[in-house]
Amino acid sequence: MGGATRRRGDELIAAIHQAVLAELEEVGLAKLSMEGVARRAATAKTSLYRRWTSPEEILLDAIVAAFPREEVSASGDDLRGDLVRALQLLLDWGRHPTARAVQAILLERGRYPELADALFSRVFDPAGGRFTATVLHHYAALGEIDSRVITPVVADIGEALTLKYLADTGTEPSVEYLESIVDQAVLPAVGLSPPGTSRAAGPGRPS
Amino acid sequence: MGGATRRRGDELIAAIHQAVLAELEEVGLAKLSMEGVARRAATAKTSLYRRWTSPEEILLDAIVAAFPREEVSASGDDLRGDLVRALQLLLDWGRHPTARAVQAILLERGRYPELADALFSRVFDPAGGRFTATVLHHYAALGEIDSRVITPVVADIGEALTLKYLADTGTEPSVEYLESIVDQAVLPAVGLSPPGTSRAAGPGRPS
């Protein structure tokens, strides 16, 4: 079945994922269509409908496929380094076209609330709490930090500061800035004081 | 000079500010023009050129005019309450049309770097560091907190978490959430521990 040049399986899916992202970039969320995606992926609409019911479903699939899984060092002896690496993973992901798709969905969540909800229930939540939260929970499980301090606010600190830097400056923060975020904001919030201050020395205070 | 219905002074400027924001909303930054603003404000282009050299100048002026000045309680005895109020001021400002204009400028800063730079040099920086930073510096001047801990990262924590909540949920955080941001992220970063934890109790630990 199919000619010699017919793409199948993973290759076709990757082409369709790429097509839906390019289509979103060009026409926007409101005008996303099965026709447009099919044309751009050079495939038949029927082959899209075999797997997905709408262009939004294809978009979510593309986002899921590209979303990073946190890599937490198994040793559990480098909380600071693991937090910095989690924020670097966030920056890596920010360079992928799906990050812009996520931004588009969140900016228009007033108009497409189900799509935004699906983003959380299918992408962010299964990914284990998004970047630094995964690291913090890992070290809480090891008894290194008190799990009660990992509130929704605390789980968001590193990401919020990294994303605000990106939004304010239009450029990625340096590793040194990520280290400052970890030392001056994330670690104090979990009961570890930033280095170089003389107040509120916590039990695991570095330096 | 001028007819009976001719608007002058502040009234005309307010109408022109409103016009530039409405025009931005409708046509976007790339197509903003003196013609469009003049037509929408029902005034002559010449009257715009008397005061401004470009539509971007009018836009910056409109943003400056609406930007809030932080209100820090002079008594200096309610750091937590002042921080929460600073974040509420940020939310109040977020409801104003100029907040969307700021977002538009920052999103397109790759294309209009001078405009984004002017936003910082003329709006954010003269406003004294934007919301919680003003409060933190006020209490540092009173000797309540160590001024060395008010780094760029620490000055951004409250705003970053508030803006991320807005971006993630599309709704404004409650006062309780703002209090959590202050208790669990901002206060620990300046050497004061969040309430309800047993780690790293700082000198000014609440509760």
Side-chain angles (χ1 to χ4, degrees):
Chain A
M1 47 200 279
T5 63
R6 185 144 169 201
R7 296 156 306 172
R8 296 170 62 185
D10 293 349
E11 197 193 340
L12 179 59
I13 290 176
I16 292 167
H17 284 170
Q18 223 181 329
V20 76
L21 294 169
E23 192 71 6
L24 174 70
E25 194 78 9
E26 194 175 306
V27 305
L29 210 46
K31 291 183 180 165
L32 212 55
S33 70
M34 289 302 235
E35 287 80 355
V37 176
R39 194 182 327 115
R40 200 181 282 267
T43 190
K45 252 208 299 184
T46 50
S47 78
L48 297 186
Y49 278 112
R50 215 168 288 148
R51 187 179 283 266
W52 300 282
T53 58
S54 71
E56 289 81 15
E57 289 289 321
I58 306 179
L59 183 61
L60 282 171
D61 242 28
I63 294 169
V64 169
F67 201 74
R69 294 296 170 266
E70 286 82 355
E71 287 156 32
V72 179
S73 74
S75 66
D77 61 1
D78 187 16
L79 172 58
R80 180 178 188 261
D82 286 338
L83 287 169
V84 171
R85 278 184 289 278
L87 295 177
Q88 286 177 307
L89 203 60
L90 173 68
L91 291 178
D92 291 343
W93 174 69
R95 285 182 222 110
H96 193 275
T98 55
R100 281 204 301 280
V102 164
Q103 195 178 31
I105 292 172
L106 291 179
L107 279 174
E108 302 211 60
R109 72 180 296 150
R111 246 182 288 183
Y112 310 97
E114 298 86 1
L115 192 56
D117 289 347
L119 196 62
F120 281 86
S121 63
R122 289 206 226 161
V123 186
F124 297 148
D125 296 343
R130 290 168 277 168
F131 308 102
T132 57
T134 307
V135 174
L136 294 174
H137 285 296
H138 182 80
Y139 282 84
L142 293 170
E144 297 286 316
I145 54 179
D146 185 340
S147 68
R148 291 168 302 170
V149 304
I150 312 173
T151 61
V153 166
V154 170
D156 250 2
I157 294 173
E159 284 81 346
L161 285 163
T162 303
L163 295 173
K164 184 163 189 299
Y165 185 97
L166 261 173
D168 283 352
T169 68
T171 57
E172 291 185 6
S174 62
V175 176
E176 289 71 29
Y177 196 84
L178 298 181
E179 287 169 348
S180 299
I181 289 175
V182 169
D183 290 338
Q184 299 168 14
V186 183
L187 291 177
V190 297
L192 304 170
S193 289
T197 63
S198 55
R199 310 276 302 253
R205 180 168 176 237
S207 94
Chain B
M1 45 202 279
T5 62
R6 184 145 169 201
R7 297 157 304 172
R8 296 169 61 185
D10 293 350
E11 198 193 339
L12 179 59
I13 289 175
I16 293 168
H17 284 170
Q18 223 180 329
V20 75
L21 294 169
E23 192 71 4
L24 175 70
E25 195 78 8
E26 194 175 306
V27 306
L29 210 46
K31 292 183 180 164
L32 212 55
S33 70
M34 290 303 237
E35 288 80 357
V37 175
R39 195 182 325 116
R40 200 181 281 266
T43 190
K45 253 207 300 183
T46 51
S47 78
L48 297 186
Y49 278 111
R50 213 168 290 147
R51 189 179 281 265
W52 299 282
T53 58
S54 72
E56 289 79 16
E57 289 290 319
I58 307 179
L59 183 60
L60 282 171
D61 241 29
I63 294 170
V64 169
F67 201 74
R69 294 294 172 269
E70 286 83 355
E71 288 156 30
V72 179
S73 74
S75 65
D77 61 1
D78 188 14
L79 172 58
R80 181 179 188 259
D82 286 337
L83 287 170
V84 170
R85 278 185 288 278
L87 294 177
Q88 285 177 307
L89 202 62
L90 173 68
L91 291 178
D92 292 343
W93 174 67
R95 285 181 222 110
H96 193 275
T98 55
R100 280 205 302 280
V102 165
Q103 195 177 31
I105 291 172
L106 290 180
L107 279 174
E108 302 212 60
R109 73 181 295 152
R111 244 181 292 182
Y112 309 98
E114 297 86 2
L115 193 56
D117 288 348
L119 196 62
F120 281 85
S121 63
R122 289 208 225 159
V123 186
F124 296 148
D125 295 343
R130 289 167 278 168
F131 307 101
T132 57
T134 306
V135 174
L136 293 174
H137 285 297
H138 183 81
Y139 282 83
L142 293 170
E144 296 286 315
I145 54 179
D146 185 341
S147 67
R148 291 168 301 169
V149 304
I150 312 173
T151 61
V153 165
V154 169
D156 249 2
I157 294 173
E159 286 79 346
L161 284 163
T162 302
L163 295 173
K164 184 164 190 297
Y165 184 97
L166 262 173
D168 283 352
T169 68
T171 59
E172 290 185 7
S174 64
V175 177
E176 289 72 30
Y177 196 84
L178 297 182
E179 289 170 348
S180 300
I181 288 175
V182 170
D183 291 338
Q184 299 167 15
V186 184
L187 291 178
V190 296
L192 304 170
S193 289
T197 63
S198 54
R199 310 277 304 255
R205 181 172 174 233
S207 94

